[in-house]
Amino acid sequence: MTPTRPPFDRDHLPPGIDPPSPQDPEALGRYRVVGRIGAGGMGAVYAGVDEAGGCAAVKVIHPQFAADAEFLARFAREVDLVSRVRGTCTAAFYEADVNAGTPWLATEYVRGLPLRGHVRENGVLTGGVLLALAVGLAEGLSAIHGAGVVHRDLKPGNVIMSPTGPKVLDFGIARTVDGTALTKTGGLVGTPGWAAPELFDGVEATDRSDMFAWGGMVAFAATGRNPFGTGAADALVHRTRREQPDLDGVPPELLGLVRRSMDKDPARRPTAERALAELTSRWSATRVQPLPHDLPAPHRPSPQGGGAEGEAPPAPTAGFGPVPPTEIVPALLATEWRGITAPEPRRIRRGRRWPVVAAAATAAVLVAALVAVWLVADPTIPGADDPSAAVTDTGQDGGDGGSDGGSDGGDGSGEAAVDDGAARVAQARRLALDATSFEAYYGMTVGGDGSEVYQLYRYEEEPEPVYLQTSPAGPATSEVMYLGAGLDDTVFRTISSLTGDTEVGPYYRNPGADPSMTEHAYRERLVDDLDLAAESGSGVEYLGTSGAPVTLQYPPEEMGGMAGLEGINGHHYTGAYSKEVSGSGDTSVGMVEHTFDLWLDEEGYPLLFTVYSEPDFGSGPVPGTDTTVYVSFNEDVDIEVPDESEIEPDQPGF
């Protein structure tokens, strides 16, 4: 099979691919490496281009595993199995070399957004597109199971919404070779919230385990909600084992099949082949004209009813003999899969460390942030002079530990595996707080009216620790410079344009002010919610590398403006956490679920953190988006600290 040929070279890469680093290989077999798609404990995935310009996703295993004869033999067996998978909705196998110094496997590179990202950007799937997704996933699993492979970790991040149909990724090699993604402590298979309940009892995964995840995927696509909600891994496991999935909103024509697929008893779930037959036969029965590839079968009677559970009934067509369900899939996709596009390749800008942005915001933080904005700095703030205090111990082992030192867990003992979401989030917080300087800004929207409010952050340790927080708000800008632990060490300044001319007021102290004025003036505020995100444990899902969509309308010119938000990519993580939200007068409106997207650079520093929530302040849910763009770390930051003689002892009169 010939690889696809998108416009694809080292200077023009699709979103989701980073430029290669000096440590990455220059070539793998006949493929020249032009980018890095992702990496994990067992190996890495590269973007490769052959001499004819065809591209592929080239998977390699780490050298220490290649040196293990038993592992290499297993790898070869799995390559043989995966090479037999022939599905319309699976990534195609191209070739492999298991005897190379760096064993590799080349498969189709599939362009498009992961299912979760597509739902988040475009809303839930309905009608024919939802049916096509259900059919495509069933067809993909049917092909995988027919080759003797069990996926074991079907979830929204492993399905790509390509322009030609849904594509199931990460089957076979990634899961069977590494022991089906067991944690280091053993027992946890797949991803909590998506994995079948029997897997948490130590039962070996089967094709019916994949069908449980299939039902959850269809439910998610139809509703935008995880079938067992969000939260810590143990809570998700408990709900999966003891509670029924949230299927409210799944259309009636799919609800019965989805519910059967998510039965707690694997024996009562349909096979992928059976599900595919039910879906395609129902669709075929609505066609006025027979499908182009239907063939007359005058001597073969039409089937009456379905077969036994687990057997696929042939799909009836008007006036013709039965057509195998897999032959109906291409026509169904051509008819129903509409309006799905893939992001175009973009020019890569090298030498930049920070990202493009996608919006995100917590209306909770927004309410307080709209009142006042700070620019602060001080290592005496609790936790600022003790990097370990900034670390969150998630208590979770992620992934397989792998060859890169395993899961950091946020304790600083080693680098976290890129696919260990919780550890990576905790590590990002630690790196940010260990930085000797940083610049960032914080964009907020609330109510969906498109208005934006910003805060700008600058910090430097030399020549003296100072943390400056600026709040542009209409014709006036407030600045707060924090040099110590309380109001006596905090100076304020107002820059006004009320008269049309910019008037820069003097710095002043306000010792008689309410001490709560400085409650937000602490360096950890920049990364506070990363604690909550890390504590979501296995709920932090790694989606690979991608470019964050630019949704901010008015990024501050002081930090690059719109030009600074182009062509920036990073490792993408997503998840959810709960947080108490306060309204006017600090009155709590209760715990509110926040969903987030986080992009990290290759070193693990945060690039972009976006949070979405809809708290109800008494008149209905209010959508909020909170976006933190981390411009730089450990680079020169110029903050002009006023001389003591330039600081007024009290707030000037107006």
Side-chain angles (χ1 to χ4, degrees):
M1 183 175 296
T2 303
T4 56
R5 290 180 168 80
F8 188 85
D9 59 45
R10 69 180 301 273
D11 295 319
H12 298 83
L13 299 177
I17 302 181
D18 287 331
S21 70
Q23 292 74 37
D24 290 327
E26 294 185 0
L28 293 164
R30 64 188 180 93
Y31 297 97
R32 180 169 54 89
V33 172
V34 300
R36 174 190 281 257
I37 298 173
M42 304 302 293
V45 184
Y46 295 102
V49 177
D50 64 18
E51 292 182 356
C55 79
V58 186
K59 302 181 181 183
V60 301
I61 59 175
H62 288 314
Q64 60 266 46
F65 296 107
D68 185 321
E70 181 179 354
F71 182 94
L72 197 58
R74 292 169 57 200
F75 179 74
R77 288 196 297 272
E78 299 306 332
V79 166
D80 180 61
L81 286 175
V82 172
S83 68
R84 302 176 191 175
V85 175
R86 295 289 187 270
T88 299
C89 295
T90 58
F93 171 85
Y94 290 160
E95 58 186 307
D97 188 347
V98 298
N99 297 314
T102 302
W104 56 270
L105 162 72
T107 62
E108 174 187 7
Y109 172 74
V110 181
R111 289 179 56 193
L113 291 174
L115 174 60
R116 185 180 297 280
H118 180 89
V119 170
R120 178 163 293 149
E121 289 194 13
N122 302 286
V124 299
L125 307 188
T126 59
V129 177
L130 179 61
L131 171 65
L133 177 81
V135 167
L137 297 183
E139 189 272 345
L141 287 179
S142 180
I144 292 168
H145 298 163
V149 178
V150 178
H151 193 293
R152 293 177 170 86
D153 197 22
L154 188 66
K155 57 187 178 183
N158 284 335
V159 171
I160 299 296
M161 304 287 281
S162 86
T164 59
K167 292 277 189 174
V168 179
L169 308 183
D170 199 18
F171 58 87
I173 293 297
R175 296 298 157 188
T176 53
V177 170
D178 67 5
T180 66
L182 288 172
T183 63
K184 284 190 281 189
T185 55
L188 184 60
V189 178
T191 301
W194 302 100
E198 66 270 14
L199 303 184
F200 303 113
D201 294 325
V203 176
E204 179 66 24
T206 68
D207 61 332
R208 307 299 175 95
S209 306
D210 283 349
M211 286 307 296
F212 184 91
W214 175 89
M217 294 278 285
V218 175
F220 169 78
T223 67
R225 302 186 305 273
N226 293 353
F228 293 100
T230 60
D234 55 351
L236 294 173
V237 171
H238 173 79
R239 293 178 205 148
T240 302
R241 297 176 67 187
R242 305 299 179 195
E243 300 177 9
Q244 293 303 309
D246 176 9
L247 303 182
D248 186 22
V250 177
E253 61 269 22
L254 293 174
L255 182 59
L257 184 57
V258 169
R259 182 175 286 123
R260 283 158 45 211
S261 297
M262 301 193 76
D263 197 293
K264 304 297 184 190
D265 183 355
R268 291 200 289 263
R269 299 174 202 151
T271 62
E273 189 179 13
R274 171 76 181 195
L276 179 62
E278 288 189 24
L279 293 169
T280 54
S281 63
R282 195 178 305 155
W283 181 81
S284 296
T286 67
R287 301 298 93 193
V288 176
Q289 298 293 329
L291 299 177
H293 51 284
D294 289 348
L295 299 175
H299 304 296
R300 182 167 50 200
S302 297
Q304 302 296 320
E309 181 64 49
E311 296 178 359
T317 58
F320 290 84
V323 176
T326 53
E327 294 186 18
I328 298 175
V329 172
L332 187 151
L333 292 175
T335 302
E336 307 293 352
W337 193 256
R338 302 295 178 88
I340 308 297
T341 60
E344 290 299 317
R346 79 281 182 235
R347 185 171 181 82
I348 300 301
R349 294 188 174 193
R350 289 175 168 76
R352 295 288 295 279
R353 205 201 59 77
W354 54 290
V356 237
V357 317
T362 308
V365 179
L366 180 59
V367 172
L370 290 173
V371 178
V373 183
W374 310 100
L375 257 152
V376 190
D378 180 30
T380 66
I381 302 170
D385 58 349
D386 180 6
S388 65
V391 173
T392 298
D393 184 358
T394 66
Q396 300 288 333
D397 283 321
D400 53 40
S403 62
D404 55 1
S407 172
D408 185 317
D411 62 4
S413 60
E415 183 182 357
V418 71
D419 55 356
D420 189 341
R424 274 278 169 158
V425 173
Q427 176 180 282
R429 186 179 191 274
R430 172 176 58 80
L431 289 171
L433 291 177
D434 282 351
T436 58
S437 65
F438 62 72
E439 289 188 278
Y441 64 87
Y442 185 63
M444 298 164 284
T445 64
V446 67
D449 61 358
S451 60
E452 295 175 356
V453 176
Y454 286 100
Q455 297 175 351
L456 282 67
Y457 302 88
R458 293 181 175 91
Y459 172 75
E460 65 177 3
E461 289 186 358
E462 298 294 339
E464 59 183 295
V466 55
Y467 179 42
L468 181 65
Q469 193 168 315
T470 301
S471 175
T477 296
S478 299
E479 287 191 351
V480 179
M481 184 177 293
Y482 195 64
L483 302 167
L487 280 169
D488 288 342
D489 297 309
T490 305
V491 295
F492 306 82
R493 182 170 69 171
T494 300
I495 302 172
S496 174
S497 301
L498 289 173
T499 62
D501 297 325
T502 300
E503 297 181 7
V504 180
Y507 281 106
Y508 64 91
R509 289 190 170 90
N510 196 351
D514 185 341
S516 66
M517 288 185 67
T518 60
E519 67 183 7
H520 297 297
Y522 59 97
R523 198 164 62 131
E524 289 87 343
R525 188 183 182 200
L526 188 68
V527 290
D528 260 354
D529 279 16
L530 292 185
D531 263 349
L532 301 174
E535 289 169 1
S536 59
S538 295
V540 181
E541 183 178 353
Y542 177 53
L543 301 182
T545 55
S546 68
V550 179
T551 58
L552 292 180
Q553 298 180 35
Y554 310 109
E557 292 298 326
E558 300 95 315
M559 295 188 176
M562 290 299 296
L565 302 178
E566 299 176 0
I568 306 165
N569 296 272
H571 294 288
H572 184 188
Y573 301 85
T574 188
Y577 58 87
S578 293
K579 179 179 177 179
E580 187 173 14
V581 175
S582 297
S584 59
D586 289 331
T587 302
S588 174
V589 299
M591 300 297 288
V592 175
E593 183 179 79
H594 297 64
T595 59
F596 70 88
D597 287 286
L598 172 67
W599 280 262
L600 306 178
D601 70 7
E602 285 294 332
E603 296 176 333
Y605 284 92
L607 295 170
L608 175 74
F609 186 45
T610 64
V611 185
Y612 314 83
S613 66
E614 294 189 11
D616 188 343
F617 298 101
S619 57
V622 179
T625 303
D626 177 273
T627 306
T628 303
V629 180
Y630 303 89
V631 178
S632 68
F633 290 97
N634 302 312
E635 297 181 7
D636 291 340
V637 175
D638 186 17
I639 303 176
E640 184 176 347
V641 178
D643 185 80
E644 186 64 31
S645 63
E646 299 174 293
I647 303 174
E648 299 287 339
D650 209 336
Q651 183 173 5
F654 291 95

